[in-house]
Structures are given as C-alpha cells and as structure tokens.
C-alpha cells in the first residue's frame, strides 16, 4: 500500500491516478496480517495529494450476544490529504508536519497508506458485533448458546415472576 507520487507532484493540479489494492496488512498491534482489497484514487491538489479509498477487510470477531467467533466484513472509506516533506523540483525541505492531523509523503515521495488504513479500521470496528441480526444469544442462566441448543431454563420464561426479572436484565443490558 505504498505509492510513489514523485511524478504526480510534478503534474498540474487535478491530475489523478487510480490503483487497485490487494494486499496484506497487520491492522492492530501484533495482530496477524489481514487481507485488504479495494480501490485507491489519488488527486493532485495545490499542496499535495488527496487520497480517497474504498477498502474492505474481514476480521474474526466475537459475537457480543452468543460469544461465538465469526467473520465480520469491515468497510473503510478513506479520505485524506497527504502533504510533501520535500519539494519534488528543488529537493528543499518543506515545513508540513503531521501535527494538524495530516498524513505526510515521505522524503522519497512515497505515500504509505498503512497508518491511515489502521486508523480507519479502528474507527469502523463495530462496538457490539453480532454474528447475525437474528442471533438468539446465550442463556443468562446456564450459558448455553441458544442458536445451537435450547435449555431447561426456557421453562421459567412462562412464569410471570421471571418475565419481570428478564425485563430488568434486558434493560440493564441496554445501558452500557
Ligand atoms: Zn451471536
Ligand atoms: Zn439455560
């Protein structure tokens, strides 16, 4: 996910490049590499290069209802400007820094997208992943996965006293 933009930086504002991404990248600290696919578009701006990308990757999540592991598709829409650190024509150092939240083009005129992909990936992780909208979750009493089996605790659901308690449990569930 590295793009050499030295040629583009010499071109006029508005010139573009398109790339296909099909690459492996570790998206979290010490995580194994994830496969990332998608499209990247570069646009020459007055200051640098505007990068837009539509990327997808799949990670293994643990379902927040039933705790089983499943593959979750993560979509990332990247939209950021990359600013040069060296003037491509003169070789002079430029004063852009990443303190304003910009990304930088390195001294070899290369855009390395990896850091942006990691940031957008983290932003797009589901807070409460569910293996399916219809996931039955697990029994709060005995811990059985209700997608795979039913349990004896089910009988208690018919009891009005349990209904009130279960309501309380599900209300608390929504609070966090
Ligand atoms: Zn589930
Ligand atoms: Zn049960």
């Amino acid at each position: 996910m590295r793009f050499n933009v030295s040629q583009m930086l010499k071109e006029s504002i508005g010139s573009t490049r398109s790339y296909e991404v099909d690459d492996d990248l570790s998206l979290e600290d010490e995580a194994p590499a994830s496969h990332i696919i998608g499209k990247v578009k570069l646009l020459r701006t007055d200051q640098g290069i505007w990068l837009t990308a539509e990327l997808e990757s799949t990670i293994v999540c643990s379902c927040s209802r039933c705790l089983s592991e499943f593959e979750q598709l993560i979509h990332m829409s990247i939209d950021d400007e990359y600013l040069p650190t060296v003037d491509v024509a003169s070789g002079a150092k430029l004063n852009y820094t990443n303190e304003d939240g910009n990304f930088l083009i390195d001294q070899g005129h290369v855009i390395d997208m990896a850091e942006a992909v990691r940031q957008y990936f983290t932003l797009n992780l589901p807070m409460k992943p569910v293996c399916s909208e219809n996931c039955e979750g697990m029994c709060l009493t005995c811990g059985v996965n209700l997608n795979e089996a039913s349990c004896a605790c089910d009988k208690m659901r018919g009891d009005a006293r349990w209904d009130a308690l279960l309501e309380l449990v599900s209300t608390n569930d929504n609070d966090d």
Side-chain angles (χ1 to χ4, degrees):
M1 265 167 271
R2 293 164 59 84
F3 309 101
N4 189 312
V5 293
S6 57
Q7 186 55 43
M8 261 192 101
L9 287 170
K10 293 173 193 159
E11 295 172 11
S12 53
I13 294 169
S15 71
T16 60
R17 295 280 192 288
S18 295
Y19 298 96
E20 302 267 331
V21 171
D22 187 341
D23 231 329
D24 292 320
L25 179 71
S26 177
L27 291 168
E28 293 173 290
D29 286 345
E30 292 169 29
S34 296
H35 194 63
I36 294 164
I37 56 166
K39 287 184 174 20
V40 175
K41 202 167 182 186
L42 305 181
L43 170 73
R44 175 73 166 110
T45 62
D46 57 339
Q47 292 188 307
I49 305 282
W50 199 279
L51 182 151
T52 51
E54 295 292 329
L55 304 176
E56 279 182 356
S57 186
T58 307
I59 55 154
V60 176
C61 276
S62 180
C63 176
S64 61
R65 290 187 203 159
C66 71
L67 305 183
S68 63
E69 293 199 327
F70 67 102
E71 290 204 326
Q72 167 91 45
L73 185 72
I74 304 289
H75 186 88
M76 293 162 268
S77 293
I78 295 177
D79 196 5
D80 273 310
E81 188 166 26
Y82 281 75
L83 300 175
T85 47
V86 172
D87 183 83
V88 72
S90 67
K93 283 207 161 175
L94 298 172
N95 290 326
Y96 295 117
T97 65
N98 53 9
E99 282 165 18
D100 300 324
N102 298 313
F103 290 99
L104 296 176
I105 303 168
D106 74 13
Q107 298 186 358
H109 312 297
V110 170
I111 287 177
D112 186 348
M113 232 174 84
E115 187 51 37
V117 173
R118 288 193 192 98
Q119 288 185 15
Y120 279 81
F121 172 78
T122 308
L123 286 174
N124 285 288
L125 278 178
M127 300 292 279
K128 284 193 163 190
V130 283
C131 62
S132 124
E133 283 303 316
N134 304 321
C135 175
E136 300 283 341
M138 60 191 281
C139 173
L140 296 171
T141 310
C142 71
V144 89
N145 183 340
L146 296 171
N147 299 306
E148 292 165 0
S150 55
C151 62
C153 316
D154 277 346
K155 277 181 254 161
M156 298 173 188
R157 299 230 170 104
D159 188 315
R161 286 167 299 172
W162 278 98
D163 283 350
L165 189 61
L166 287 170
E167 216 157 80
L168 201 67
V169 169
S170 53
T171 311
N172 288 343
D173 257 359
N174 293 338
D175 281 342
D176 55 26

